[in-house]
Amino acid sequence: MRSLDSTITKLKAEGFKLTPQRISVIKYMEGNPDHPSAGDIYKALKKKYPGLAFSTVYNTLRMLQKIGEIQAVNIAEDHMNYDPDTSSHFHLLCEECGKIVDIPSSGDLAECFRSSEISGHEVKSYQINMRGTCSSCLCGSSDPQRRL
Amino acid sequence: MRSLDSTITKLKAEGFKLTPQRISVIKYMEGNPDHPSAGDIYKALKKKYPGLAFSTVYNTLRMLQKIGEIQAVNIAEDHMNYDPDTSSHFHLLCEECGKIVDIPSSGDLAECFRSSEISGHEVKSYQINMRGTCSSCLCGSSDPQRRL
DNA sequence: CTGTATGCAAAGGTTTTGCATCGGG
DNA sequence: CCCGATGCAAAACCTTTGCATACAG
């Protein structure tokens, strides 16, 4: 997801309709670093757009996934999170504050997945998910953002 | 999970009770390469032990996780899978047959996670999940085990 | 206009919880 | 004996689905 404009252009090119609800979801995701869940998106947008259904959020997310504008992050145990940054990077779920933070992809790591063939299997995609404590919680030991 | 005996010994040492239901779950998991879900375990054991509750399966799995005898694998989209092999290795979800296969940890990959500090965050654990096509489905293109 | 997206509600699946009862240590 | 585990059922939660209506192109 580079920008609102490029995403909308892509939508049109792929033949999808531009409804206000879809645009609101796209706006919410664009540049959002918080890896929101479908529920987060629904709750946040429901205030502004009372006429918004849960299924519309899911449909829009699925559509954005299909055209490669967002990626689903399978790191939490009981729900999916969504990331507008589809470049190669990884995620850490902080066990203190519950946030999901981005981890840049190191050259060494990328090197391991250079080939699409690993142990005789064909690898089409991969995710690296970590758990631990994020830098904010490590420094500010008075944990200003503790949620758990 | 090394063996049935060692697991039972560990359970006793940790002060957990040895009930027939717990032992049946442990037996089912021990050496099982199929990464079953809680539902798989329940369905399989319900035949032999009609007196088995879903909650007991979940309780036992949580207990086994806590004492480090199994690990939860967060690779499927809508449920958790469980693996009695807690050594360092990764998983590939085959998009053809739906199976989860083990990928041995390479030295190069392990090297990347040598330090518990990455990008200023403290990493306590990590999972590498891949999607693609497993070697069985690649070879036997007549896909004898296709499920999707 | 036409076809598709929306909203609503209900279903489906997984996991959790509450409570009376049972049984292992 | 006693405390914790079990079984049962229901609830909670996330996600998907079906259908009539509304609306973008």
Side-chain angles (χ1 to χ4, degrees):
Chain A
M1 231 171 179
R2 304 198 182 292
S3 67
L4 196 57
D5 282 350
S6 72
T7 304
I8 287 179
T9 302
K10 193 162 190 178
L11 272 192
K12 283 184 186 170
E14 303 262 352
F16 289 101
K17 287 186 180 173
L18 282 171
T19 61
Q21 295 86 346
R22 284 185 169 175
I23 293 176
S24 75
V25 172
I26 295 169
K27 272 189 190 167
Y28 187 82
M29 289 304 295
E30 207 271 310
N32 189 326
D34 291 338
H35 310 86
S37 67
D40 293 335
I41 299 168
Y42 176 72
K43 271 176 281 186
L45 294 179
K46 188 70 176 177
K47 298 170 192 165
K48 281 190 179 178
Y49 308 82
L52 178 68
F54 232 126
S55 49
T56 300
V57 174
Y58 277 104
N59 286 336
T60 304
L61 290 172
R62 207 183 312 155
M63 176 197 67
L64 289 172
Q65 264 188 89
K66 193 179 292 180
I67 65 174
E69 288 293 298
I70 63 172
Q71 69 168 315
V73 180
N74 194 3
I75 190 171
E77 294 195 348
D78 52 355
H79 61 82
M80 206 63 89
N81 294 87
Y82 298 90
D83 190 344
D85 180 358
T86 55
S87 68
S88 178
H89 68 283
F90 313 120
H91 296 102
L92 176 132
L93 174 58
C94 177
E95 291 169 338
E96 298 295 324
C97 64
K99 284 186 185 167
I100 296 174
V101 305
D102 289 318
I103 308 280
S105 170
S106 78
D108 288 350
L109 263 175
E111 188 68 13
C112 295
F113 290 92
R114 181 181 10 93
S115 162
S116 67
E117 184 273 324
I118 292 186
S119 298
H121 312 289
E122 186 194 354
V123 178
K124 291 186 181 134
S125 66
Y126 67 98
Q127 277 196 179
I128 301 186
N129 299 324
M130 315 175 201
R131 281 162 185 269
T133 310
C134 73
S135 54
S136 306
C137 291
L138 282 177
C139 298
S141 44
S142 52
D143 48 40
Q145 52 199 351
R146 177 180 284 268
R147 274 199 230 144
L148 301 177
Chain B
M1 230 172 177
R2 304 198 183 291
S3 68
L4 195 58
D5 283 351
S6 72
T7 304
I8 288 180
T9 303
K10 194 162 189 177
L11 272 190
K12 284 184 186 169
E14 302 263 354
F16 289 103
K17 288 185 181 174
L18 282 171
T19 63
Q21 294 87 346
R22 282 185 170 176
I23 292 176
S24 75
V25 173
I26 295 169
K27 272 190 189 167
Y28 187 82
M29 288 304 294
E30 207 272 310
N32 190 324
D34 291 337
H35 310 85
S37 67
D40 294 333
I41 299 169
Y42 176 71
K43 272 176 277 186
L45 294 178
K46 188 70 176 178
K47 299 170 190 166
K48 281 190 177 178
Y49 308 82
L52 178 69
F54 231 127
S55 49
T56 301
V57 174
Y58 276 104
N59 286 336
T60 305
L61 289 172
R62 207 181 312 155
M63 176 196 67
L64 289 172
Q65 266 188 87
K66 194 179 293 179
I67 65 175
E69 289 293 298
I70 63 172
Q71 68 168 315
V73 181
N74 194 2
I75 191 172
E77 294 196 346
D78 54 354
H79 62 83
M80 206 64 88
N81 294 86
Y82 297 90
D83 191 343
D85 180 359
T86 56
S87 69
S88 179
H89 68 283
F90 314 121
H91 296 102
L92 176 131
L93 174 59
C94 178
E95 290 169 339
E96 297 296 323
C97 65
K99 284 186 185 166
I100 297 174
V101 305
D102 290 318
I103 307 280
S105 170
S106 76
D108 288 350
L109 264 175
E111 188 67 14
C112 296
F113 290 92
R114 182 179 9 93
S115 162
S116 67
E117 185 273 324
I118 293 185
S119 297
H121 312 290
E122 185 194 355
V123 178
K124 291 186 181 133
S125 67
Y126 66 99
Q127 278 196 179
I128 302 187
N129 299 324
M130 315 175 201
R131 282 163 184 268
T133 310
C134 73
S135 54
S136 307
C137 291
L138 283 176
C139 297
S141 44
S142 51
D143 48 40
Q145 52 199 352
R146 178 180 285 267
R147 274 199 233 145
L148 299 178

